[in-house]
């Protein structure tokens, strides 16, 4: 199960390593929305929430649709800039249909998007590539987007309805929210991680210049490799996807707050981008084999691994999981029952929906390698 990025004929200079203020802010917002994914940052997240003005805290909760279960593609720029303001200006240049479609992608499963053909030369999608139908113009896409938002909860449903009704107003509000985050916590945090990111970028670009693409990719993550023929970057993800980097290349963005996630932008019309975690300063402690053995039986099925990958990004209903992975609801229910018996899931009813949630502490007991694979 991999994401394959076709780089055949691509000059080495079009494989770029660069830091992005907007992508790092997005990683921080994900930490605030899903602190269980980032136990090493729990203290930071708690301090930030405690210091936020109530109005800004509410704004973050209403817009978490954009970064909780998956990051909207426009929040991970293909052409990083020096400042957050410049990157937000680039986002403002994206048309409403593209922005809304990207904003309302809330799952990371097999129905997200498939990609082919040349990529755009900027962070904006290319009109020459096939794109998914826009909820602004396609009735079925709109209904599907609202169904997904409703299953996420009242705030997300209201956010989606406002976005569809008045994209300009919501876009302006989202930008203002991100600008307020800069003042509240991002600027201070960015100053603290900028040195780490610069150090990592020097290493990556030195490897790229002197040892080639393969060595540079090997230093990104053990989950990122160059295919033997040199024509494809292979990203080890719990999904089967493909995209192409012809024309504009691939951008790799380091992240301190994004650890352990390996985020890949691969939707139609978007230049491929990979946001990767900067390596931890020291390796984690090994997990006892007895602990691993107790629960691996419940995970010895590729479908259950795919379900866990989606659930790692937030609570989902049986129907959502069935749609995401193109399975029947009864089949999904059987797999969920196995995972629940293993103590890896909890189920809670919200109105007419039953949402399943991953028990991250129990999954963590299986080892950081497995957890990192699921969270990628």
């Amino acid at each position: 199960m991999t994401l394959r990025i076709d780089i055949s004929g691509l000059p080495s200079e079009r494989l770029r390593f660069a830091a992005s203020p907007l992508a790092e802010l997005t990683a921080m917002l994900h930490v605030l929305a899903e602190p269980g994914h980032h136990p090493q940052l729990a203290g930071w997240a708690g301090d930030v929430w405690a210091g936020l003005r109530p109005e800004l805290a509410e704004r973050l909760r209403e817009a978490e649709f954009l970064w909780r279960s998956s990051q909207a593609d426009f929040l991970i720029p293909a052409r990083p800039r020096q400042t957050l303001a410049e990157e937000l200006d680039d986002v403002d240049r994206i048309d409403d249909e593209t922005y809304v479609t990207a904003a309302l992608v809330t799952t990371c499963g097999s129905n997200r998007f498939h990609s082919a053909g040349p990529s755009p030369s900027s962070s904006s999608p290319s009109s020459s590539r096939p794109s998914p139908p826009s909820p602004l113009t396609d009735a079925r896409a709109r209904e599907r987007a609202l169904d997904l938002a409703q299953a996420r909860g009242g705030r997300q449903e209201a956010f989606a309805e406002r976005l569809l009704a008045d994209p300009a107003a919501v876009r302006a509000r989202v930008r203002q929210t991100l600008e307020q985050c800069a003042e509240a916590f991002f600027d201070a945090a960015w100053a603290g991680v900028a040195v780490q990111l610069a150090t990592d970028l020097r290493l990556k670009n030195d490897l790229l210049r002197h040892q080639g693409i393969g060595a540079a990719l090997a230093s990104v993550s053990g989950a990122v490799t160059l295919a033997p023929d040199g024509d494809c970057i292979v990203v080890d993800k719990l999904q089967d996807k493909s995209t192409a980097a012809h024309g504009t290349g691939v951008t790799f963005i380091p992240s301190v707050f994004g650890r352990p996630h390996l985020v890949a932008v691969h939707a139609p019309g978007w230049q491929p981008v990979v946001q990767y975690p900067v390596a931890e300063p020291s390796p984690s402690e090994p997990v006892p084999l007895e602990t691993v053995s107790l629960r691996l039986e419940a995970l010895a099925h590729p479908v259950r691994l795919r379900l866990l990958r989606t659930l790692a990004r937030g609570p989902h209903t049986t129907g959502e999981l069935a749609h995401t992975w193109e399975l029947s609801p009864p089949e999904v229910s059987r797999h969920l029952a196995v995972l629940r018996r293993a103590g890896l899931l909890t189920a809670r009813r919200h109105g007419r929906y039953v949402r399943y949630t991953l028990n991250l502490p129990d999954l963590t007991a299986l080892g950081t390698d497995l957890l990192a694979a699921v969270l990628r």
Side-chain angles (χ1 to χ4, degrees):
M1 292 180 283
T2 59
L3 167 66
R4 301 177 68 85
I5 304 173
D6 183 359
I7 59 169
S8 56
L10 190 74
S12 60
E13 63 269 18
R14 292 189 180 172
L15 190 148
R16 308 178 188 87
F17 287 89
S20 164
L22 179 56
E24 194 68 6
L25 172 56
T26 302
M28 293 178 193
L29 292 172
H30 176 73
V31 171
L32 294 176
E34 287 285 5
H37 289 187
H38 310 270
Q40 75 279 11
L41 293 171
W44 175 85
D47 290 342
V48 169
W49 279 118
L52 289 181
R53 292 181 292 103
E55 179 191 0
L56 179 55
E58 179 59 27
R59 280 172 171 250
L60 292 183
R61 293 187 182 98
E62 76 177 20
E64 69 177 15
F65 209 93
L66 298 174
W67 50 74
R68 182 167 192 161
S69 61
S70 65
Q71 289 75 34
D73 289 337
F74 54 75
L75 294 177
I76 306 177
R79 293 297 180 91
R81 309 291 187 178
Q82 290 295 313
T83 67
L84 179 63
E86 290 175 300
E87 293 185 327
L88 292 175
D89 287 343
D90 286 343
V91 173
D92 287 344
R93 296 185 184 100
I94 299 172
D95 63 84
D96 282 346
E97 288 189 15
T98 301
Y99 184 102
V100 170
T101 301
L104 296 183
V105 172
T106 60
T107 64
C108 299
S110 63
N111 281 345
R112 183 170 175 149
F113 301 126
H114 291 274
S115 176
S119 298
S121 58
S122 69
S123 58
S124 299
S126 167
S127 59
S128 64
R129 302 183 64 197
S131 298
S134 167
L136 287 179
T137 58
D138 185 273
R140 291 183 63 185
R142 179 186 181 89
E143 181 181 1
R144 177 62 185 159
L146 289 173
D147 284 346
L148 286 169
Q150 186 180 46
R152 298 272 71 76
R155 282 194 182 95
Q156 282 69 41
E157 182 182 10
F159 175 85
E161 289 176 343
R162 290 196 302 272
L163 181 60
L164 290 167
D166 192 349
V170 174
R171 292 179 64 166
R173 182 175 174 85
V174 169
R175 172 164 183 156
Q176 185 181 54
T177 298
L178 297 177
E179 291 171 337
Q180 290 177 6
C181 288
E183 180 180 351
F185 61 87
F186 172 73
D187 288 346
W190 177 251
V193 304
V195 174
Q196 288 177 262
L197 298 179
T199 300
D200 182 82
L201 289 172
R202 281 194 296 271
L203 170 64
K204 300 297 189 293
N205 284 306
D206 184 67
L207 287 170
L208 183 62
R209 282 193 302 270
H210 298 292
Q211 299 185 40
I213 293 177
L217 294 179
S219 71
V220 167
S221 167
V224 181
T225 57
L226 185 66
D229 61 7
D231 286 343
C232 184
I233 296 172
V234 181
V235 184
D236 183 20
K237 302 276 282 183
L238 284 169
Q239 55 185 308
D240 289 308
K241 299 286 185 178
S242 63
T243 187
H246 300 150
T248 56
V250 186
T251 301
F252 286 84
I253 299 175
S255 175
V256 171
F257 280 80
R259 187 185 304 126
H261 300 303
L262 186 66
V263 179
V265 173
H266 56 82
W270 298 87
Q271 178 181 322
V273 183
V274 176
Q275 184 186 36
Y276 64 91
V278 173
E280 295 185 75
S282 59
S284 57
E285 291 295 320
V287 176
L289 179 60
E290 295 80 7
T291 303
V292 175
S293 298
L294 282 175
R295 285 187 169 146
L296 283 180
E297 286 186 28
L299 301 177
H301 196 292
V303 170
R304 290 197 281 273
L305 285 176
R306 291 186 176 102
L307 297 178
L308 281 180
R309 181 184 180 278
T310 302
L311 290 167
R313 283 151 174 79
H316 285 73
T317 66
T318 299
E320 288 179 296
L321 293 168
H323 176 85
T324 296
W325 292 108
E326 297 179 345
L327 301 168
S328 69
E331 183 178 3
V332 171
S333 294
R334 288 194 295 271
H335 287 299
L336 292 178
V338 172
L339 292 168
R340 287 188 69 189
R341 284 196 295 271
L344 296 176
L345 299 181
T346 56
R348 293 181 180 173
R349 178 171 292 279
H350 297 263
R352 63 189 180 95
Y353 296 100
V354 176
R355 296 185 203 159
Y356 293 88
T357 303
L358 178 63
N359 291 335
L360 279 167
D362 295 326
L363 185 60
T364 302
L366 291 172
T368 55
D369 287 345
L370 179 59
L371 179 60
V374 170
L375 292 180
R376 279 201 299 271

